[in-house]
Amino acid sequence: GKHTVNLDNKVSEVRVKPFTLEMGMKFKLHVTISGKKINVSEVPELPIPEDWMRDKLELNFYKCEQGGGGEVEHVSYDKQSRTAVITFLTPG
């Protein structure tokens, strides 16, 4: 409902309205798999900060059965070349 907000000694009445965030993004990745690292190429350009992209890549490969994933140690992402290297804690 309605709320009163005090900003710099000025009082404003505001009303809260729910809205839907579009969170889902699908994209295709090309990967090369070795024992402990996955080299990812052709990462799509998305209008999101680089740290968000690193987080998305980490979540995609963290314990991901289809991607041969596991617990992620480090994600290195290069926006300019559209590549990333996912390093896992243990080979597998």
Side-chain angles (χ1 to χ4, degrees), residues 15-64:
R15 181 177 294 215
V16 178
K17 292 185 179 181
F19 63 95
T20 303
L21 292 175
E22 303 232 359
M23 297 298 289
M25 290 185 186
K26 290 185 179 182
F27 51 87
K28 188 182 230 180
L29 301 173
H30 298 269
V31 301
T32 303
I33 300 172
S34 72
K36 194 172 175 183
K37 293 183 180 186
I38 295 179
N39 296 322
V40 182
S41 61
E42 298 183 38
V43 176
E45 293 182 45
L46 299 175
I48 60 175
E50 288 185 37
D51 57 333
W52 289 14
M53 180 61 82
R54 280 191 293 277
D55 291 345
K56 284 187 168 296
L57 290 165
E58 180 175 348
L59 289 171
N60 186 69
F61 290 100
Y62 181 78
K63 297 195 184 236
C64 174

Side-chain angles (χ1 to χ4, degrees), residues 61-78:
F61 290 100
Y62 181 78
K63 297 195 184 236
C64 174
E65 293 175 16
Q66 67 192 33
E71 195 166 348
V72 175
E73 179 179 339
H74 181 71
V75 175
S76 173
Y77 169 62
D78 183 353

